[in-house]
Amino acid sequence: MGEMSGFQLGVVGALFLSVASSVSIVIVNKALMSNLGFPFATTLTSWHLMVTYCTLHVALRFNCFENKPIDIKTVMLFGILNGVSIGFLNLSLGFNSIGFYQMTKLAIIPFTVLLETIFLKKQFSQKIKLSLLILLFGVGVASITDLQLNLVGTVLSLLAIITTCVGQILTNTIQKRLNVSSTQLLYQSAPFQAAVLFVSGPLVDQCLTKQNVFAYKYSPLVLAFIILSCLIAVSVNFSTFLVIGKTSPVTYQVLGHLKTCLVLGFGYTLLHDPFTARNIGGILIAIVGMGLYSYFCTCETKKKQGGDLPSSLTQQKERDTTPLLDNQSQDANKVSKDLV
């Protein structure tokens, strides 16, 4: 019971760290790009990953965690896939309207459920699916404003959905099957993610903004915000892998929509963004969906624990559903880490 409560505390801490760091970096990046005129999002992400890797390398030198070598092909493909997914998401935002980009992000949850059902043989109850549907409807009402379609943007969005879903499923699967922590996986894969974005980032940004990141005039204030953004990104990247490792890709996406609602709220209170009754209603519906998701997952977890045979072998099976604020005990692979 002590291990169980300790693990649940760790899950809550990971969720809180993910939300706090993600909302903080959105606010900092919005100020950097909107107010200070630094529009190079993909290149900035490559810097985030490089700073994250350097930070973890220093932590390794101080024995804060133990490095566990992973097959180089696995790490390389995993890192490249995650780097490519970030590039596709940024391109999707550049070639689509804000409304269609939000639809792209919403589509990640049902596509993840579909992939896990087909390839990992996981089963999601009707109640879980209903709560996810309510959540997606609420976020859609709160954030989607227009849906302008174009062929290039649609293809980029599909590629972004596929690569993001596969990357997040692999994050969870690799940690469990190879018994590595999120910190170890992030440390091994961050250089490959950073390399992909460092090479492609300036090209992607120039395609989207018609500006050259190397020709940009960096003021002291812009540099200060870039450094702050990179420091917060260390926490974001760490907590992303941590949450996915401790819970599931679907739960991480649910958490992502909670962040969307919080960003909308902070944008209204701190940045005085336009806010309507539709935004408020959508956020409330989304919160109801998140609450139902957590409640149904918790109930199903208790039901499974009560009906399971008293055999240690049954405890080795992966859980099919993961509550947002409550979790079951898992295999010996305890994890720790996140992404932007």
Side-chain angles (χ1 to χ4, degrees):
M1 290 300 293
E3 282 187 26
M4 170 86 69
S5 59
F7 182 73
Q8 291 174 352
L9 257 179
V11 172
V12 173
L15 295 171
F16 177 80
L17 178 63
S18 179
V19 171
S21 57
S22 295
V23 172
S24 298
I25 203 169
V26 166
I27 294 173
V28 171
N29 286 351
K30 183 170 184 178
L32 181 62
M33 295 177 188
S34 301
N35 300 337
L36 299 178
F38 184 86
F40 309 106
T42 309
T43 303
L44 180 63
T45 304
S46 73
W47 297 344
H48 288 169
L49 287 163
M50 284 190 285
V51 171
T52 299
Y53 173 74
C54 292
T55 303
L56 289 176
H57 189 69
V58 171
L60 180 63
R61 292 291 183 181
F62 282 93
N63 298 318
C64 295
F65 69 96
E66 180 183 353
N67 185 27
K68 184 174 182 178
I70 306 173
D71 177 63
I72 187 65
K73 289 184 179 179
T74 300
V75 173
M76 185 181 296
L77 291 174
F78 174 75
I80 291 173
L81 177 65
N82 278 295
V84 168
S85 74
I86 294 171
F88 278 137
L89 282 170
N90 286 339
L91 284 171
S92 173
L93 178 58
F95 280 88
N96 292 303
S97 64
I98 296 295
F100 193 79
Y101 176 71
Q102 290 295 336
M103 283 294 295
T104 298
K105 293 176 68 177
L106 289 177
I108 292 174
I109 283 185
F111 196 79
T112 301
V113 170
L114 178 64
L115 288 181
E116 291 193 316
T117 301
I118 294 174
F119 295 104
L120 300 182
K121 307 303 180 184
K122 290 190 176 182
Q123 295 182 354
F124 298 85
S125 69
Q126 294 301 319
K127 291 181 179 179
I128 295 293
K129 293 176 182 177
L130 176 62
S131 65
L132 291 175
L133 184 63
I134 294 172
L135 165 67
L136 296 178
F137 177 74
V139 175
V141 169
S143 61
I144 294 175
T145 54
D146 61 295
L147 288 173
Q148 299 175 8
L149 303 178
N150 65 82
L151 180 60
V152 175
T154 301
V155 171
L156 289 171
S157 291
L158 288 173
L159 291 173
I161 292 169
I162 293 170
T163 53
T164 300
C165 291
V166 173
Q168 291 180 358
I169 291 172
L170 285 177
T171 300
N172 182 272
T173 304
I174 289 173
Q175 290 185 51
K176 290 180 177 178
R177 292 189 178 176
L178 299 184
N179 195 25
V180 296
S181 73
S182 55
T183 308
Q184 292 166 334
L185 180 58
L186 178 60
Y187 178 70
Q188 296 280 338
S189 63
F192 297 104
Q193 296 182 57
V196 170
L197 293 175
F198 189 75
V199 172
S200 63
L203 298 176
V204 171
D205 288 333
Q206 188 160 14
C207 175
L208 297 177
T209 66
K210 310 303 179 186
Q211 299 181 52
N212 190 334
V213 66
F214 301 110
Y216 182 83
K217 294 183 179 179
Y218 294 85
S219 67
L221 185 59
V222 168
L223 287 174
F225 268 82
I226 289 175
I227 292 171
L228 178 60
S229 178
C230 288
L231 293 176
I232 298 174
V234 175
S235 176
V236 173
N237 288 325
F238 177 79
S239 59
T240 294
F241 276 59
L242 178 59
V243 169
I244 295 176
K246 281 186 174 292
T247 58
S248 72
V250 173
T251 296
Y252 176 72
Q253 286 300 323
V254 171
L255 188 67
H257 293 307
L258 170 61
K259 298 172 190 176
T260 299
C261 294
L262 290 175
V263 168
L264 289 172
F266 277 112
Y268 172 68
T269 56
L270 299 180
L271 305 176
H272 306 291
D273 289 342
F275 214 62
T276 64
R278 172 182 166 179
N279 297 130
I280 297 173
I283 289 174
L284 292 176
I285 293 171
I287 290 174
V288 170
M290 283 181 277
L292 289 174
Y293 175 77
S294 182
Y295 174 74
F296 290 145
C297 285
T298 303
C299 290
E300 291 186 11
T301 297
K302 291 179 179 178
K303 185 177 179 181
K304 285 182 180 181
Q305 289 175 343
D308 281 346
L309 291 172
S311 169
S312 59
L313 293 177
T314 60
Q315 296 173 5
Q316 301 297 324
K317 298 178 69 175
E318 290 181 8
R319 296 335 192 217
D320 294 334
T321 56
T322 309
L324 188 60
L325 293 177
D326 192 4
N327 208 323
Q328 327 90 323
S329 59
Q330 301 185 0
D331 304 326
N333 36 301
K334 307 302 184 189
V335 282
S336 41
K337 180 273 145 219
D338 187 281
L339 154 54
V340 168

